[in-house]
Amino acid sequence: DTEVTQTPKHLVMGMTNKKSLKCEQHMGHRAMYWYKQKAKKPPELMFVYSYEKLSINESVPSRFSPECPNSSLLNLHLHALQPEDSALYLCASRGQGRDEQFFGPGTRLTVL
Amino acid sequence: AQTVTQSQPEMSVQEAETVTLSCTYDTSESNYYLFWYKQPPSRQMILVIRQEAYKQQNATENRFSVNFQKAAKSFSLKISDSQLGDTAMYFCAFMKQNTGANSKLTFGKGITLSVRP
């Protein structure tokens, strides 16, 4: 299995809702990433997990809360988002000693 | 800090022809990796090609090859025999070597490539 999967594909939520994005990989990768991507722009790094511990938080607002329950799974919990948070959220993983990141297909989030 | 510059926002090429996408970067690091990622309209980002800075030989992957000029800090991507499926946004990216858990990709702004039938 050489895939990173993300669910849901699309998500529409109100500003008072709580929702979660899920990312899964079964490649044995121990580094996992969350990115935010606006249309026609490069991905912006949000969080990095290494061996299930948060190693990088790029000063992301607290309304985004990451979680890594195990080595295969990465969640992003969303609460009280703003319309400007609407974007494509990408997950990626990287194997130990490897340099390339494998990206998932993303979740298209719309905040109303 | 590292920067990656892709100065061409858009390019177009006729099917079966060759196109070159440019990328320059700035870093004080000696050891690093460079990548070209492709993101088609269906949005999945995939790796096209990678280059280790210590290797002088330019990387090639089938129809894709790079021209890596370390002294000039240039890393261009050549696509030969362009196909309709090459239509996508292409991102040039940089990563320091041996940063372990703190490894981060620095992306350029990207270039939209359209292949005309």
Side-chain angles (χ1 to χ4, degrees):
Chain A
D1 187 353
T2 57
E3 268 196 323
V4 177
T5 59
Q6 290 187 245
T7 53
K9 283 188 167 48
H10 301 274
L11 178 63
V12 179
M13 60 186 290
M15 289 190 284
T16 58
N17 293 156
K18 285 185 182 181
K19 297 285 185 184
S20 296
L21 309 185
K22 179 179 168 182
C23 171
E24 204 159 1
Q25 57 87 15
H26 296 286
M27 296 179 278
H29 291 175
R30 305 311 295 269
M32 296 184 76
Y33 304 77
W34 278 117
Y35 291 89
K36 174 184 177 181
Q37 187 181 26
K38 292 281 199 178
K40 299 288 188 182
K41 299 289 186 185
E44 298 171 28
L45 183 65
M46 300 174 73
F47 302 103
V48 181
Y49 271 84
S50 178
Y51 290 87
E52 297 146 58
K53 287 187 168 47
L54 184 65
S55 62
I56 297 177
N57 176 342
E58 293 285 291
S59 303
V60 178
S62 59
R63 58 185 184 269
F64 295 91
S65 175
E67 179 197 19
C68 190
N70 59 59
S71 59
S72 301
L73 190 54
L74 187 65
N75 296 320
L76 187 62
H77 303 296
L78 314 172
H79 173 55
L81 294 192
Q82 305 296 310
E84 59 264 28
D85 297 321
S86 298
L88 182 67
Y89 287 84
L90 294 169
C91 175
S93 70
R94 183 175 66 91
Q96 185 180 5
R98 299 296 303 275
D99 48 88
E100 68 177 273
Q101 293 183 21
F102 290 83
F103 285 83
T107 293
R108 173 73 64 190
L109 174 68
T110 302
V111 182
L112 301 175
Chain B
Q2 285 65 235
T3 58
V4 177
T5 302
Q6 294 178 254
S7 55
Q8 308 151 302
E10 292 182 0
M11 285 190 79
S12 178
V13 64
Q14 194 74 32
E15 196 175 7
E17 293 190 347
T18 295
V19 64
T20 298
L21 311 183
S22 65
C23 173
T24 59
Y25 60 95
D26 192 24
T27 185
S28 57
E29 301 289 330
S30 301
N31 299 315
Y32 50 88
Y33 300 101
L34 294 163
F35 306 91
W36 278 98
Y37 278 91
K38 168 186 177 181
Q39 190 174 35
S42 63
R43 77 192 182 200
Q44 179 118 28
M45 184 96 71
I46 58 173
L47 180 68
V48 174
I49 200 164
R50 59 187 281 278
Q51 175 82 41
E52 291 145 313
Y54 68 87
K55 287 188 177 177
Q56 291 186 339
Q57 188 172 4
N58 289 325
T60 62
E61 287 287 342
N62 301 313
R63 298 183 295 107
F64 299 89
S65 61
V66 298
N67 183 2
F68 173 48
Q69 303 287 330
K70 190 172 184 179
K73 294 180 182 170
S74 170
F75 183 61
S76 61
L77 174 70
K78 186 171 85 170
I79 306 174
S80 304
D81 185 26
S82 297
Q83 299 176 1
L84 296 178
D86 295 333
T87 293
M89 196 152 187
Y90 288 80
F91 293 100
C92 179
F94 170 102
M95 188 176 82
K96 288 194 285 188
Q97 196 173 356
N98 296 329
T99 52
N102 293 327
S103 70
K104 298 200 290 188
L105 283 170
T106 301
F107 286 96
K109 287 185 176 180
I111 178 171
T112 300
L113 176 67
S114 300
V115 179
R116 305 186 304 273

PDB file of all heavy atoms in Angstrom, chain B residues 13-36:
ATOM      1  N   VAL B  13       2.199  24.601 -23.962  1.00  0.00           N
ATOM      2  CA  VAL B  13       3.046  23.862 -24.914  1.00  0.00           C
ATOM      3  C   VAL B  13       2.162  22.985 -25.782  1.00  0.00           C
ATOM      4  O   VAL B  13       1.097  22.511 -25.339  1.00  0.00           O
ATOM      5  CB  VAL B  13       4.090  23.008 -24.151  1.00  0.00           C
ATOM      6  CG1 VAL B  13       3.418  21.931 -23.306  1.00  0.00           C
ATOM      7  CG2 VAL B  13       5.108  22.394 -25.105  1.00  0.00           C
ATOM      8  N   GLN B  14       2.576  22.787 -26.991  1.00  0.00           N
ATOM      9  CA  GLN B  14       1.852  21.911 -27.899  1.00  0.00           C
ATOM     10  C   GLN B  14       2.182  20.461 -27.547  1.00  0.00           C
ATOM     11  O   GLN B  14       3.323  20.130 -27.188  1.00  0.00           O
ATOM     12  CB  GLN B  14       2.294  22.200 -29.342  1.00  0.00           C
ATOM     13  CG  GLN B  14       1.422  21.622 -30.421  1.00  0.00           C
ATOM     14  CD  GLN B  14       0.109  22.367 -30.569  1.00  0.00           C
ATOM     15  OE1 GLN B  14       0.035  23.571 -30.349  1.00  0.00           O
ATOM     16  NE2 GLN B  14      -0.934  21.652 -30.934  1.00  0.00           N
ATOM     17  N   GLU B  15       1.177  19.621 -27.647  1.00  0.00           N
ATOM     18  CA  GLU B  15       1.380  18.189 -27.423  1.00  0.00           C
ATOM     19  C   GLU B  15       2.553  17.697 -28.271  1.00  0.00           C
ATOM     20  O   GLU B  15       2.723  18.123 -29.428  1.00  0.00           O
ATOM     21  CB  GLU B  15       0.092  17.450 -27.819  1.00  0.00           C
ATOM     22  CG  GLU B  15      -0.024  16.037 -27.311  1.00  0.00           C
ATOM     23  CD  GLU B  15      -1.379  15.412 -27.653  1.00  0.00           C
ATOM     24  OE1 GLU B  15      -2.161  16.037 -28.400  1.00  0.00           O
ATOM     25  OE2 GLU B  15      -1.640  14.307 -27.169  1.00  0.00           O
ATOM     26  N   ALA B  16       3.354  16.822 -27.672  1.00  0.00           N
ATOM     27  CA  ALA B  16       4.524  16.184 -28.298  1.00  0.00           C
ATOM     28  C   ALA B  16       5.762  17.073 -28.323  1.00  0.00           C
ATOM     29  O   ALA B  16       6.857  16.597 -28.660  1.00  0.00           O
ATOM     30  CB  ALA B  16       4.242  15.680 -29.692  1.00  0.00           C
ATOM     31  N   GLU B  17       5.628  18.332 -27.950  1.00  0.00           N
ATOM     32  CA  GLU B  17       6.789  19.203 -27.929  1.00  0.00           C
ATOM     33  C   GLU B  17       7.449  19.177 -26.554  1.00  0.00           C
ATOM     34  O   GLU B  17       6.974  18.536 -25.616  1.00  0.00           O
ATOM     35  CB  GLU B  17       6.387  20.624 -28.331  1.00  0.00           C
ATOM     36  CG  GLU B  17       5.954  20.685 -29.791  1.00  0.00           C
ATOM     37  CD  GLU B  17       5.774  22.100 -30.296  1.00  0.00           C
ATOM     38  OE1 GLU B  17       5.733  23.034 -29.477  1.00  0.00           O
ATOM     39  OE2 GLU B  17       5.657  22.252 -31.531  1.00  0.00           O
ATOM     40  N   THR B  18       8.562  19.899 -26.467  1.00  0.00           N
ATOM     41  CA  THR B  18       9.347  19.943 -25.228  1.00  0.00           C
ATOM     42  C   THR B  18       9.175  21.294 -24.553  1.00  0.00           C
ATOM     43  O   THR B  18       9.084  22.327 -25.227  1.00  0.00           O
ATOM     44  CB  THR B  18      10.840  19.704 -25.540  1.00  0.00           C
ATOM     45  OG1 THR B  18      10.988  18.370 -26.047  1.00  0.00           O
ATOM     46  CG2 THR B  18      11.701  19.860 -24.300  1.00  0.00           C
ATOM     47  N   VAL B  19       9.101  21.279 -23.248  1.00  0.00           N
ATOM     48  CA  VAL B  19       8.941  22.524 -22.486  1.00  0.00           C
ATOM     49  C   VAL B  19       9.874  22.484 -21.285  1.00  0.00           C
ATOM     50  O   VAL B  19      10.142  21.409 -20.722  1.00  0.00           O
ATOM     51  CB  VAL B  19       7.476  22.716 -22.044  1.00  0.00           C
ATOM     52  CG1 VAL B  19       7.022  21.624 -21.092  1.00  0.00           C
ATOM     53  CG2 VAL B  19       7.256  24.092 -21.423  1.00  0.00           C
ATOM     54  N   THR B  20      10.366  23.642 -20.904  1.00  0.00           N
ATOM     55  CA  THR B  20      11.247  23.747 -19.737  1.00  0.00           C
ATOM     56  C   THR B  20      10.651  24.721 -18.738  1.00  0.00           C
ATOM     57  O   THR B  20      10.307  25.858 -19.089  1.00  0.00           O
ATOM     58  CB  THR B  20      12.648  24.215 -20.141  1.00  0.00           C
ATOM     59  OG1 THR B  20      13.223  23.240 -21.030  1.00  0.00           O
ATOM     60  CG2 THR B  20      13.551  24.358 -18.923  1.00  0.00           C
ATOM     61  N   LEU B  21      10.536  24.264 -17.500  1.00  0.00           N
ATOM     62  CA  LEU B  21      10.015  25.084 -16.404  1.00  0.00           C
ATOM     63  C   LEU B  21      11.204  25.506 -15.537  1.00  0.00           C
ATOM     64  O   LEU B  21      12.017  24.663 -15.146  1.00  0.00           O
ATOM     65  CB  LEU B  21       9.018  24.291 -15.563  1.00  0.00           C
ATOM     66  CG  LEU B  21       7.920  23.529 -16.324  1.00  0.00           C
ATOM     67  CD1 LEU B  21       6.968  22.857 -15.338  1.00  0.00           C
ATOM     68  CD2 LEU B  21       7.178  24.432 -17.272  1.00  0.00           C
ATOM     69  N   SER B  22      11.269  26.777 -15.224  1.00  0.00           N
ATOM     70  CA  SER B  22      12.447  27.270 -14.500  1.00  0.00           C
ATOM     71  C   SER B  22      12.196  27.389 -12.999  1.00  0.00           C
ATOM     72  O   SER B  22      11.054  27.562 -12.558  1.00  0.00           O
ATOM     73  CB  SER B  22      12.888  28.620 -15.061  1.00  0.00           C
ATOM     74  OG  SER B  22      11.884  29.581 -14.828  1.00  0.00           O
ATOM     75  N   CYS B  23      13.267  27.275 -12.253  1.00  0.00           N
ATOM     76  CA  CYS B  23      13.214  27.395 -10.799  1.00  0.00           C
ATOM     77  C   CYS B  23      14.592  27.834 -10.320  1.00  0.00           C
ATOM     78  O   CYS B  23      15.609  27.276 -10.746  1.00  0.00           O
ATOM     79  CB  CYS B  23      12.830  26.057 -10.157  1.00  0.00           C
ATOM     80  SG  CYS B  23      12.932  26.017  -8.353  1.00  0.00           S
ATOM     81  N   THR B  24      14.620  28.825  -9.463  1.00  0.00           N
ATOM     82  CA  THR B  24      15.864  29.192  -8.792  1.00  0.00           C
ATOM     83  C   THR B  24      15.612  29.170  -7.300  1.00  0.00           C
ATOM     84  O   THR B  24      14.472  29.258  -6.838  1.00  0.00           O
ATOM     85  CB  THR B  24      16.358  30.585  -9.224  1.00  0.00           C
ATOM     86  OG1 THR B  24      15.346  31.553  -8.924  1.00  0.00           O
ATOM     87  CG2 THR B  24      16.685  30.630 -10.706  1.00  0.00           C
ATOM     88  N   TYR B  25      16.678  29.033  -6.550  1.00  0.00           N
ATOM     89  CA  TYR B  25      16.533  28.955  -5.107  1.00  0.00           C
ATOM     90  C   TYR B  25      17.707  29.666  -4.455  1.00  0.00           C
ATOM     91  O   TYR B  25      18.716  29.950  -5.102  1.00  0.00           O
ATOM     92  CB  TYR B  25      16.446  27.495  -4.650  1.00  0.00           C
ATOM     93  CG  TYR B  25      17.663  26.672  -5.008  1.00  0.00           C
ATOM     94  CD1 TYR B  25      18.699  26.492  -4.104  1.00  0.00           C
ATOM     95  CD2 TYR B  25      17.780  26.100  -6.272  1.00  0.00           C
ATOM     96  CE1 TYR B  25      19.822  25.756  -4.432  1.00  0.00           C
ATOM     97  CE2 TYR B  25      18.897  25.362  -6.618  1.00  0.00           C
ATOM     98  CZ  TYR B  25      19.911  25.195  -5.707  1.00  0.00           C
ATOM     99  OH  TYR B  25      21.029  24.466  -6.045  1.00  0.00           O
ATOM    100  N   ASP B  26      17.524  29.962  -3.198  1.00  0.00           N
ATOM    101  CA  ASP B  26      18.592  30.608  -2.455  1.00  0.00           C
ATOM    102  C   ASP B  26      18.742  29.898  -1.114  1.00  0.00           C
ATOM    103  O   ASP B  26      17.752  29.681  -0.406  1.00  0.00           O
ATOM    104  CB  ASP B  26      18.280  32.087  -2.232  1.00  0.00           C
ATOM    105  CG  ASP B  26      19.491  32.847  -1.730  1.00  0.00           C
ATOM    106  OD1 ASP B  26      20.628  32.397  -1.971  1.00  0.00           O
ATOM    107  OD2 ASP B  26      19.313  33.903  -1.093  1.00  0.00           O
ATOM    108  N   THR B  27      19.940  29.529  -0.779  1.00  0.00           N
ATOM    109  CA  THR B  27      20.212  28.849   0.480  1.00  0.00           C
ATOM    110  C   THR B  27      21.689  28.980   0.825  1.00  0.00           C
ATOM    111  O   THR B  27      22.522  29.149  -0.067  1.00  0.00           O
ATOM    112  CB  THR B  27      19.839  27.360   0.391  1.00  0.00           C
ATOM    113  OG1 THR B  27      20.018  26.745   1.668  1.00  0.00           O
ATOM    114  CG2 THR B  27      20.688  26.621  -0.637  1.00  0.00           C
ATOM    115  N   SER B  28      21.962  28.877   2.101  1.00  0.00           N
ATOM    116  CA  SER B  28      23.350  28.833   2.551  1.00  0.00           C
ATOM    117  C   SER B  28      23.759  27.400   2.905  1.00  0.00           C
ATOM    118  O   SER B  28      24.894  27.154   3.303  1.00  0.00           O
ATOM    119  CB  SER B  28      23.543  29.748   3.766  1.00  0.00           C
ATOM    120  OG  SER B  28      22.664  29.364   4.795  1.00  0.00           O
ATOM    121  N   GLU B  29      22.820  26.473   2.753  1.00  0.00           N
ATOM    122  CA  GLU B  29      23.082  25.076   3.058  1.00  0.00           C
ATOM    123  C   GLU B  29      23.940  24.442   1.963  1.00  0.00           C
ATOM    124  O   GLU B  29      23.886  24.846   0.801  1.00  0.00           O
ATOM    125  CB  GLU B  29      21.767  24.297   3.164  1.00  0.00           C
ATOM    126  CG  GLU B  29      20.816  24.813   4.234  1.00  0.00           C
ATOM    127  CD  GLU B  29      21.299  24.515   5.635  1.00  0.00           C
ATOM    128  OE1 GLU B  29      21.987  23.490   5.829  1.00  0.00           O
ATOM    129  OE2 GLU B  29      20.974  25.306   6.541  1.00  0.00           O
ATOM    130  N   SER B  30      24.706  23.425   2.369  1.00  0.00           N
ATOM    131  CA  SER B  30      25.516  22.680   1.391  1.00  0.00           C
ATOM    132  C   SER B  30      24.820  21.403   0.957  1.00  0.00           C
ATOM    133  O   SER B  30      24.972  20.947  -0.166  1.00  0.00           O
ATOM    134  CB  SER B  30      26.870  22.311   2.006  1.00  0.00           C
ATOM    135  OG  SER B  30      27.565  23.452   2.408  1.00  0.00           O
ATOM    136  N   ASN B  31      24.064  20.831   1.889  1.00  0.00           N
ATOM    137  CA  ASN B  31      23.417  19.542   1.616  1.00  0.00           C
ATOM    138  C   ASN B  31      21.910  19.709   1.642  1.00  0.00           C
ATOM    139  O   ASN B  31      21.340  20.129   2.660  1.00  0.00           O
ATOM    140  CB  ASN B  31      23.841  18.513   2.662  1.00  0.00           C
ATOM    141  CG  ASN B  31      25.342  18.287   2.646  1.00  0.00           C
ATOM    142  OD1 ASN B  31      25.941  18.143   1.582  1.00  0.00           O
ATOM    143  ND2 ASN B  31      25.955  18.274   3.804  1.00  0.00           N
ATOM    144  N   TYR B  32      21.296  19.376   0.537  1.00  0.00           N
ATOM    145  CA  TYR B  32      19.859  19.571   0.445  1.00  0.00           C
ATOM    146  C   TYR B  32      19.310  18.739  -0.708  1.00  0.00           C
ATOM    147  O   TYR B  32      20.045  18.130  -1.479  1.00  0.00           O
ATOM    148  CB  TYR B  32      19.500  21.051   0.248  1.00  0.00           C
ATOM    149  CG  TYR B  32      20.262  21.740  -0.860  1.00  0.00           C
ATOM    150  CD1 TYR B  32      19.795  21.729  -2.169  1.00  0.00           C
ATOM    151  CD2 TYR B  32      21.440  22.427  -0.582  1.00  0.00           C
ATOM    152  CE1 TYR B  32      20.497  22.369  -3.189  1.00  0.00           C
ATOM    153  CE2 TYR B  32      22.153  23.065  -1.592  1.00  0.00           C
ATOM    154  CZ  TYR B  32      21.676  23.040  -2.888  1.00  0.00           C
ATOM    155  OH  TYR B  32      22.375  23.678  -3.894  1.00  0.00           O
ATOM    156  N   TYR B  33      17.987  18.719  -0.777  1.00  0.00           N
ATOM    157  CA  TYR B  33      17.288  18.042  -1.863  1.00  0.00           C
ATOM    158  C   TYR B  33      16.443  19.079  -2.603  1.00  0.00           C
ATOM    159  O   TYR B  33      15.948  20.035  -2.001  1.00  0.00           O
ATOM    160  CB  TYR B  33      16.332  16.966  -1.328  1.00  0.00           C
ATOM    161  CG  TYR B  33      16.994  15.877  -0.537  1.00  0.00           C
ATOM    162  CD1 TYR B  33      16.949  15.879   0.856  1.00  0.00           C
ATOM    163  CD2 TYR B  33      17.642  14.812  -1.166  1.00  0.00           C
ATOM    164  CE1 TYR B  33      17.537  14.878   1.601  1.00  0.00           C
ATOM    165  CE2 TYR B  33      18.232  13.804  -0.422  1.00  0.00           C
ATOM    166  CZ  TYR B  33      18.171  13.841   0.951  1.00  0.00           C
ATOM    167  OH  TYR B  33      18.749  12.845   1.686  1.00  0.00           O
ATOM    168  N   LEU B  34      16.241  18.804  -3.865  1.00  0.00           N
ATOM    169  CA  LEU B  34      15.336  19.612  -4.673  1.00  0.00           C
ATOM    170  C   LEU B  34      14.326  18.687  -5.326  1.00  0.00           C
ATOM    171  O   LEU B  34      14.657  17.548  -5.705  1.00  0.00           O
ATOM    172  CB  LEU B  34      16.113  20.387  -5.752  1.00  0.00           C
ATOM    173  CG  LEU B  34      17.059  21.454  -5.215  1.00  0.00           C
ATOM    174  CD1 LEU B  34      18.059  21.859  -6.283  1.00  0.00           C
ATOM    175  CD2 LEU B  34      16.287  22.667  -4.714  1.00  0.00           C
ATOM    176  N   PHE B  35      13.119  19.178  -5.455  1.00  0.00           N
ATOM    177  CA  PHE B  35      12.029  18.359  -5.987  1.00  0.00           C
ATOM    178  C   PHE B  35      11.203  19.167  -6.983  1.00  0.00           C
ATOM    179  O   PHE B  35      11.100  20.392  -6.885  1.00  0.00           O
ATOM    180  CB  PHE B  35      11.064  17.938  -4.860  1.00  0.00           C
ATOM    181  CG  PHE B  35      11.706  17.253  -3.693  1.00  0.00           C
ATOM    182  CD1 PHE B  35      12.157  17.994  -2.606  1.00  0.00           C
ATOM    183  CD2 PHE B  35      11.833  15.873  -3.656  1.00  0.00           C
ATOM    184  CE1 PHE B  35      12.734  17.370  -1.509  1.00  0.00           C
ATOM    185  CE2 PHE B  35      12.405  15.239  -2.563  1.00  0.00           C
ATOM    186  CZ  PHE B  35      12.860  16.000  -1.495  1.00  0.00           C
ATOM    187  N   TRP B  36      10.603  18.437  -7.893  1.00  0.00           N
ATOM    188  CA  TRP B  36       9.493  18.969  -8.669  1.00  0.00           C
ATOM    189  C   TRP B  36       8.272  18.109  -8.356  1.00  0.00           C
ATOM    190  O   TRP B  36       8.308  16.887  -8.504  1.00  0.00           O
ATOM    191  CB  TRP B  36       9.774  18.916 -10.173  1.00  0.00           C
ATOM    192  CG  TRP B  36      10.597  20.062 -10.662  1.00  0.00           C
ATOM    193  CD1 TRP B  36      11.951  20.075 -10.891  1.00  0.00           C
ATOM    194  CD2 TRP B  36      10.127  21.365 -11.000  1.00  0.00           C
ATOM    195  NE1 TRP B  36      12.350  21.309 -11.340  1.00  0.00           N
ATOM    196  CE2 TRP B  36      11.249  22.119 -11.415  1.00  0.00           C
ATOM    197  CE3 TRP B  36       8.869  21.983 -11.005  1.00  0.00           C
ATOM    198  CZ2 TRP B  36      11.154  23.450 -11.829  1.00  0.00           C
ATOM    199  CZ3 TRP B  36       8.768  23.294 -11.399  1.00  0.00           C
ATOM    200  CH2 TRP B  36       9.911  24.011 -11.805  1.00  0.00           C
TER     201      TRP B  36
END
